[in-house]
Each structure stands twice: as C-alpha cells, then as structure tokens.
Amino acid sequence: MNAEKKVAFYTLGCKLNFSETSTITRNFVNEGFSRVEFEEKADVYVINTCSVTDNADKRFKSIVKSALKQNPEAFLIAVGCYAQLKPEELAAVDGVDLVLGATEKFNVTSYINDLTKNDIGEVHSCEIEDADFYVGSYSIGDRTRAFLKVQDGCDYKCTYCTIPLARGISRSDTLENVLQNAKEISEKGIKEIVLTGVNIGDYGKGEFGNKKHEHTFLELVQNLDTVEGIHRLRISSIEPNLLKDETIDFVANSETFVPHFHIPLQSGSDTLLKKMKRRYLRKVYTDRVAKIKEVMPNACIGVDVIVGFPGETDELFLETYNYLSELDISYLHVFTYSERPNTEAVLMDGVVSKNVRAKRSKMLRGLSVKKRRAFYVSQLGNTLTVLFEGENKEGYIHGFTENYVKVKTPWNPELVNTLHKVTLTEIDEDGLVRFNFVDTKVIA
C-alpha cells in the first residue's frame, strides 16, 4: 500500500462500536494509512453500522452519500451489526464496495487489494455461529476518557433484539488482556475508563472459548481496581439480574470505581417484561436501586426504557411511567420500539401506532428532564471531583463529577484532562451546574 493513502471512519450506535472502530483504525495505521476526519477527502471510508433502530439503517445511505461527495472515487467499506444482519442490502447501496460481517471486520485491511471501486459491493460475512472468538479493543474518544471492551455477544433471547443475530454468542476477553489494555490506556495519560460490552455482567463466559465462567464480573472489577494510574473506572450498562450486591458493595468502597450505574429496565410492567423475555421482574429492579442508594446515597442511576412494545396498552404504559416517576433514579434513555426482522416481537399482536409511540416517548423524555434536574438539585452544596473535558463549547469547558453531574465553567485550556475538587453551587439556565473550586490545585 502506498503510504499516502488516507482513511476516514464514521461510527453509528453504541460505545462498543466506538471501541471497535478504534481497533480497526489502528489496523489501518499499522498498514501505513493516515487517518483523517470523515468530512475530509479520503481514499477509504469505513462506516461502522448499527442495527438497534430503524433510523440507523436509514442514516447509512446519507452517510455513504456524504463520503462520495468528498471523493466520488473513494473505496467504501461497511462493517458492524447491520453489515452482519443485512450484508446484501448494504452491498446494494450505490457506492459501497465492501461489506464485512462480525468476524471479518477486524481483518479489514486483508480484504483490500487495490482500492478499485466495485460495480457491486463485495460481501464477506460469516454465519453468526462462527462469531465465537473474541477480539479485544478499546477506544480513546478524547483525551480524558477511554471505552474498554471486556465482552461481546449475548446469550439472552429478548424478543425485540437483533444483537445476538448481529454479534453472536456471549464471550469475554481474558482477564490478563483486559488488565493489559487498561494499563496501556493509563500510560497514555487518560484519567477515566468506561467498561463496555454487549452484556458486561456476563463477563467471564467464553473467556477460554467455552461456556463456563473462568472469572466473574466481580473479579474483573476487583482486578481493575488495582491497575495503577487510572483515576476513574465507570461501569457502563449492566443487566439488573447480573448486578450483584457484592459488586455494588465493592464499588461503594472503591477509590477508583465511581458511583454511577446504568441499568436497563425496558418496562415497568411485569406483563411486558415477560413478553420481552427479560430475565427479571420489576421487584428485582426495585431492589437493585434500593441497594445502590442504601450504600451510595449520591449515586447516579440511569435507566434504559422501551416505549410502544407490542401489547403496551395505555394502562401498561402508565404503569411504567408511574413506576419510574416514583423510583429514585437520575435520568432515562428512552427508546421507541421499532420492528426488527427475525425477532419474535415482530409477529406479536397489539401493535402500537407510531404516533402513540411518539407521544409516550415524549412523555418519558419529559420525565427524564425532571429526574435529572431533581438529581442535580440534590447534589448542590456537595463537594465532588470533576474531570474536565477537552472541548471549548461556546466559551465554556464542561466536565463530569464522579456521579455524572455535568458542570461548566468559563473556558480554560489548563483545566483539560485534570481532576479538581469543587463544590456545586447552582443550576444554570441550560441545565448544567456551576461550581466553586475548593482549591485550584490539580488532583491529577
């Protein structure tokens, strides 16, 4: 390959996709490519796709168009979940040259020969049963925080979800490799690591290519806590049935793990949880929240919830709304149910109309705004630690406290990627929190 070749990346979807894009980027760089921004002219464009919502499918075509606008001769590659589920559909999009499935995406450079555009996209996509090996990855999104992938795939059979079809069985990185990646990240001067995976509470399964757990999620957390040079570790999303008391107690007493949990609920109705084939009922969720708040009263708890699932009557929706309204949580991620081919839910009765889905989504988003504000108000007067980010946003620098309160102060480049003790003072009109420095000395 000619060393002058340029490659650009676009990532749709979750933190896991971002960590995998970073790994694929490093493969290109090792082959002599230089990375440029997606808005710039490149010889190769790689689009890492997502299949979680309809919207991601539609956005793919417009992203392809914008790449070809920069360079009509560019070689276009699609990878990721949608590429695994519907490779032929992506290959048929005008201008797409190569589509790689779940196992092939990590060897992308070996599929590129001369970068001549193809008349029709070439597909290399395994049967998803073959996606049974593990590729570790981590991404460095900015200079302050990295996403570290510890697990991939899922053995759950939730009736609305295509992820097991797109990513295969649950499998984990070896503990040794996770710790090595964490060490590499800390040596780059990054202060915070966010653990990611498809179902991270299942960590340890398939670590050595089999179904038994060599290590548990708790052991992973305990070992990561000992890695030197990391100031903060954050657990991203973990299933309520896999978040055990021991893990919550460990986080409560850890210097490094922060009091922030993101726990998918999906519905506050037991009827719908059963239809979704979730592995818990509402009581388990209630208990998890109570346990967290008992040992970490200032913990931030985020919730995933789906609206408009088949069979969600007005009564069942209100059951979810009222449940969340009364629960001591901090914010919601609201997903509007969208029909996915090859899932059980697509055949279910009781389809909720699109406009009702939209209305319910709006109601829950409104509730999320109230919840976040109430949580921020509860933190005023507290002395917390802020990690400042790297971007100048209209003259302000933003940062997050350990319990995920977003703060702002006038831009000062010296604050980037530093940790400071602050006292939260008031909520600004944009909803972010102002503070006073306890002292200006840098913690780290």
Side-chain angles (χ1 to χ4, degrees):
M1 285 281 169
N2 169 344
E4 302 303 309
K5 295 289 180 200
K6 292 177 179 165
V7 62
F9 297 86
Y10 196 105
T11 305
L12 289 157
C14 63
K15 291 169 182 166
L16 187 55
N17 269 5
F18 280 92
S19 73
E20 291 180 345
T21 298
S22 286
T23 298
I24 296 166
T25 304
R26 288 192 279 277
N27 294 345
F28 271 95
V29 170
N30 293 341
E31 294 286 333
F33 281 78
S34 63
R35 180 180 184 168
V36 296
E37 292 301 316
F38 199 81
E39 296 69 36
E40 296 175 44
K41 186 175 178 181
D43 302 286
V44 179
Y45 290 92
V46 180
I47 304 169
N48 194 351
T49 62
C50 165
S51 70
V52 170
T53 62
D54 273 345
N55 200 20
D57 311 353
K58 295 184 187 113
R59 281 186 62 196
F60 178 75
K61 287 179 181 164
S62 67
I63 294 160
V64 168
K65 269 193 195 138
S66 66
L68 293 173
K69 209 191 256 175
Q70 298 299 333
N71 181 6
E73 296 306 306
F75 194 81
L76 246 75
I77 305 171
V79 301
C81 289
Y82 197 47
Q84 175 64 38
L85 288 173
K86 300 211 173 157
E88 279 74 23
E89 207 171 285
L90 293 192
V93 173
D94 249 6
V96 174
D97 299 293
L98 181 63
V99 179
L100 298 179
T103 63
E104 294 80 6
K105 63 189 171 192
F106 296 109
N107 300 318
V108 57
T109 52
S110 63
Y111 290 96
I112 301 173
N113 299 317
D114 58 0
L115 299 187
T116 307
K117 291 210 53 80
N118 293 324
D119 292 335
I120 181 125
E122 192 183 313
V123 173
H124 296 275
S125 175
C126 65
E127 288 304 312
I128 198 60
E129 289 72 30
D130 299 335
D132 58 0
F133 60 89
Y134 185 85
V135 178
S137 51
Y138 61 84
S139 85
I140 293 165
D142 52 34
R143 281 189 294 161
T144 53
R145 161 179 319 120
F147 299 114
L148 171 59
K149 173 182 164 186
V150 299
Q151 182 274 342
D152 201 350
C154 188
D155 293 339
Y156 287 9
K157 299 285 187 284
C158 301
T159 54
Y160 51 81
C161 186
T162 54
I163 286 173
L165 301 171
R167 283 187 170 271
I169 59 170
S170 177
R171 56 209 187 274
S172 309
D173 206 347
T174 63
L175 187 58
E176 185 188 12
N177 201 34
V178 172
L179 295 174
Q180 181 54 38
N181 282 342
K183 197 163 162 290
E184 281 175 27
I185 292 167
S186 77
E187 284 163 1
K188 290 179 164 61
I190 285 161
K191 303 283 196 292
E192 181 175 310
I193 292 179
V194 183
L195 303 184
T196 70
V198 173
N199 186 356
I200 63 173
D202 214 15
Y203 176 80
K205 193 187 279 183
E207 198 181 336
F208 293 95
N210 56 28
K211 276 294 174 201
K212 74 174 196 285
H213 280 69
E214 297 294 331
H215 294 99
T216 61
F217 182 69
L218 177 61
E219 287 171 323
L220 171 73
V221 165
Q222 288 167 332
N223 279 275
L224 279 167
D225 203 47
T226 65
V227 176
E228 279 182 29
I230 298 167
H231 297 272
R232 280 184 178 182
L233 283 154
R234 203 178 285 278
I235 296 167
S236 60
S237 183
I238 183 164
E239 294 284 307
N241 51 307
L242 296 174
L243 177 57
K244 305 289 189 228
D245 282 358
E246 298 81 11
T247 305
I248 295 170
D249 285 331
F250 185 82
V251 169
N253 293 305
S254 164
E255 290 294 304
T256 323
F257 275 89
V258 295
H260 175 205
F261 294 88
H262 193 93
I263 314 169
L265 169 68
Q266 311 310 15
S267 174
S269 152
D270 282 349
T271 308
L272 289 179
L273 288 172
K274 287 174 189 166
K275 281 188 82 173
M276 291 174 170
K277 290 196 178 165
R278 300 294 285 157
R279 300 219 176 172
Y280 53 87
L281 294 175
R282 199 166 87 171
K283 183 179 183 316
V284 169
Y285 201 93
T286 308
D287 290 349
R288 296 302 73 210
V289 171
K291 170 68 183 171
I292 291 166
K293 286 296 188 175
E294 178 199 326
V295 293
M296 289 171 271
N298 291 314
C300 178
I301 302 174
V303 183
D304 286 342
V305 60
I306 294 171
V307 295
F309 188 79
E312 186 184 62
T313 59
D314 285 346
E315 291 74 23
L316 293 181
F317 169 69
L318 284 174
E319 210 179 305
T320 295
Y321 185 92
N322 293 333
Y323 174 67
L324 287 168
S325 187
E326 285 158 30
L327 201 62
D328 193 359
I329 48 124
S330 317
Y331 63 90
L332 306 171
H333 281 172
V334 184
F335 297 89
T336 304
Y337 170 74
S338 60
E339 285 78 0
R340 316 308 292 149
N342 304 316
T343 59
E344 278 185 64
V346 96
L347 304 171
M348 289 179 181
D349 297 335
V351 173
V352 177
S353 71
K354 290 271 168 51
N355 62 338
V356 171
R357 289 182 214 183
K359 194 174 100 184
R360 290 176 185 171
S361 172
K362 197 173 171 186
M363 280 176 73
L364 280 179
R365 285 174 209 275
L367 179 63
S368 181
V369 170
K370 283 187 201 152
K371 285 282 183 187
R372 193 185 297 271
R373 189 173 179 95
F375 176 63
Y376 282 7
V377 167
S378 77
Q379 297 305 300
L380 295 180
N382 287 356
T383 296
L384 298 161
T385 306
V386 171
L387 174 58
F388 289 100
E389 313 222 313
E391 214 181 322
N392 182 342
K393 293 187 176 167
E394 296 172 1
Y396 287 93
I397 187 168
H398 293 168
F400 283 96
T401 63
E402 60 270 47
N403 61 348
Y404 217 55
V405 174
K406 193 172 185 182
V407 304
K408 66 186 277 197
T409 196
W411 171 253
N412 174 356
E414 286 172 21
L415 291 175
V416 172
N417 198 28
T418 62
L419 287 152
H420 288 269
K421 279 253 182 276
V422 306
T423 302
L424 304 185
T425 55
E426 61 179 324
I427 300 176
D428 219 351
E429 59 265 25
D430 60 4
L432 303 188
V433 180
R434 299 283 201 152
F435 60 85
N436 294 327
F437 286 101
V438 170
D439 58 45
T440 49
K441 90 170 183 297
V442 176
I443 298 170

